[in-house]
Amino acid sequence: QYKIDLYTKAYIEEVVKRTVDTVVSQEELKKYYEENKENFRTNGTLVRLRYINVSKANPRFGTIRSKFFDYSIKDKKFWETYALQCKSFAMNDTVWVDMSQVYTKLPFITPDNRDEFVIAGKRIEKTVENNVYLVKITNVIDKNQISPFEFSKPTLKEVLLNKRKLELIKKFWLNIKKESLLYLDV
């Protein structure tokens, strides 16, 4: 019986994997998110920021600094050229990152001094040895707050796909039960 159960389970999983619709629309994601926001709370602090780590000796340091803090989309060509001169950088401040990544990329920020640096709207210029970190904090969401939709999107997709799989498995088992009852009645 155990062997039959294992084969049955494997068969059902394969059927589900092949038949479940894996396309989840943006509307489905948003609807589920809005209905279940309370279930999507942060485990830690989330931050949106941009930063560069550049040598203070860089001959274009003044221009780089100015363009960084007065960031404009029209400066895209400039950043395509000069970002490569930076030791490290992240210019996409629309993406939410976990605080642990901030600690890794910006070593002068630690859990002890986090509250001094990680403030929405804060501009930071920090010299460490011969390098200068330029940082612009766009937004901060603290622990146990509702996660933003964009950050929750991958989880939302997995939740919706798992719900579809469970519904399909349930439907499959109901059909098996119906057929077995018909077989017993004969």
Side-chain angles (χ1 to χ4, degrees):
Q1 183 61 45
Y2 180 70
K3 189 175 178 181
I4 291 170
D5 289 345
L6 286 177
Y7 282 132
T8 304
K9 186 177 186 305
Y11 174 74
I12 290 172
E13 286 177 4
E14 188 61 31
V15 168
V16 166
K17 188 166 62 171
R18 290 179 185 212
T19 57
V20 73
D21 182 9
T22 58
V23 176
V24 182
S25 71
Q26 188 77 2
E27 292 77 31
E28 286 177 280
L29 292 170
K30 282 184 179 178
K31 182 178 184 239
Y32 189 82
Y33 174 77
E34 289 300 325
E35 291 171 355
N36 298 282
K37 272 185 181 178
E38 289 298 320
N39 296 333
F40 295 95
R41 294 198 169 268
T42 58
N43 293 330
T45 301
L46 299 178
V47 182
R48 283 187 5 196
L49 62 93
R50 68 177 181 268
Y51 81 90
I52 58 174
N53 175 6
V54 64
S55 170
K56 186 129 185 165
N58 187 309
R60 300 284 311 246
F61 177 77
T63 306
I64 290 171
R65 182 185 182 282
S66 172
K67 288 194 179 283
F68 178 83
F69 285 123
D70 297 325
Y71 188 78
S72 172
I73 196 75
K74 66 183 179 184
D75 293 332
K76 187 176 180 180
K77 288 275 189 218
F78 174 86
W79 289 113
E80 286 174 2
T81 303
Y82 286 97
L84 299 174
Q85 294 181 12
C86 299
K87 296 184 186 233
S88 64
F89 64 93
M91 297 300 286
N92 190 354
D93 60 359
T94 60
V95 175
W96 290 96
V97 295
D98 190 78
M99 196 64 210
S100 62
Q101 290 178 292
V102 175
Y103 296 141
T104 302
K105 299 292 183 181
L106 305 172
F108 65 91
I109 299 177
T110 65
D112 294 334
N113 68 11
R114 176 195 105 79
D115 293 338
E116 175 187 341
F117 290 109
V118 184
I119 302 166
K122 179 127 179 154
R123 295 172 166 212
I124 304 165
E125 182 173 340
K126 182 75 173 170
T127 303
V128 178
E129 296 173 8
N130 292 329
N131 299 313
V132 178
Y133 288 91
L134 303 176
V135 184
K136 172 70 170 110
I137 308 286
T138 307
N139 207 340
V140 179
I141 295 179
D142 286 318
K143 184 177 182 176
N144 207 26
Q145 300 297 312
I146 294 174
S147 293
F149 172 73
E150 288 300 320
F151 186 79
S152 302
K153 240 169 126 171
T155 305
L156 287 165
K157 184 175 180 182
E158 287 303 312
V159 166
L160 289 173
L161 288 175
N162 284 335
K163 281 182 74 168
R164 287 180 186 173
K165 288 176 185 177
L166 289 173
E167 287 170 11
L168 194 57
I169 289 170
K170 186 177 178 181
K171 188 193 270 186
F172 196 78
W173 279 111
L174 285 173
N175 287 340
I176 289 173
K177 284 182 183 179
K178 283 180 188 175
E179 286 183 24
S180 65
L181 289 174
L182 287 174
Y183 178 74
L184 291 174
D185 284 344
V186 173

